[in-house]
Amino acid sequence: MRVLLALLLLLEQVLGFVLVLPQQMVRLIALHSDTFDDCEEKALKLCKEGNYADALPLFEQSLELPGDGFDIVRVQRTASPVGGAPVLRDLEETRFPSNEQKQTSYFNIAACHAQLGDDAKALDAIETALSLGFDDFELLTSDADFKIVK
């Protein structure tokens, strides 16, 4: 998305006039996120505005973005000069949402579904959050977003 935006700005400079983009494209560019935290921040802002329908896909997207969790993976096999140990250049860090971030996302997904009146999907998302270890039952029972489901 950022590359697209950069190309559009470059095109505007070359052509010498401002391009008028469809509102939906402007919105997609504005909502694009590269990290879990960025995506979650945008979704929470939409929730505070009462815009749960637009926040929901962002919370779902956050589950696919780099977060606090990480792993070191071997990306290729090359012969090590000292034996079977991996060569550092063969290793790469990969990032993904931590378990706590997943719990938070599923909780927020459930809240969005509850506000949108989809109780079954809200309960499914809460079940997923609980299966990931979510244990803040006080929040679950007191959160205003879930009064509709109760």
Side-chain angles (χ1 to χ4, degrees), residues 3-101:
V3 173
L4 175 63
L5 185 57
L7 287 172
L8 290 172
L9 292 173
L10 180 64
L11 189 58
E12 285 179 356
Q13 290 175 353
V14 170
L15 295 175
F17 61 88
V18 176
L19 294 172
V20 178
L21 299 175
Q23 187 64 27
Q24 189 174 13
M25 182 177 274
V26 171
R27 190 164 155 40
L28 284 174
I29 292 170
L31 292 178
H32 174 73
S33 300
D34 291 326
T35 66
F36 177 93
D37 291 334
D38 184 38
C39 194
E40 182 183 44
E41 183 180 326
K42 290 175 182 177
L44 289 171
K45 183 179 177 193
L46 289 169
C47 284
K48 285 184 181 181
E49 296 168 359
N51 192 348
Y52 296 97
D54 288 337
L56 180 59
L58 288 178
F59 284 126
E60 292 169 341
Q61 176 190 0
S62 73
L63 292 166
E64 305 298 323
L65 294 173
D68 293 340
F70 73 94
D71 197 5
I72 306 295
V73 295
R74 184 178 251 180
V75 291
Q76 65 182 10
R77 281 189 180 268
T78 57
S80 171
V82 293
V87 179
L88 287 179
R89 68 178 173 266
D90 295 343
L91 302 177
E92 184 177 279
E93 180 180 279
T94 181
R95 293 209 156 271
F96 48 85
S98 68
N99 198 47
E100 291 80 14
Q101 288 174 320

Side-chain angles (χ1 to χ4, degrees), residues 108-130:
N108 290 325
I109 288 168
C112 287
H113 281 303
Q115 285 296 318
L116 295 171
D118 195 342
D119 296 348
K121 287 185 179 180
L123 292 172
D124 285 344
I126 284 296
E127 184 178 355
T128 303
L130 293 170

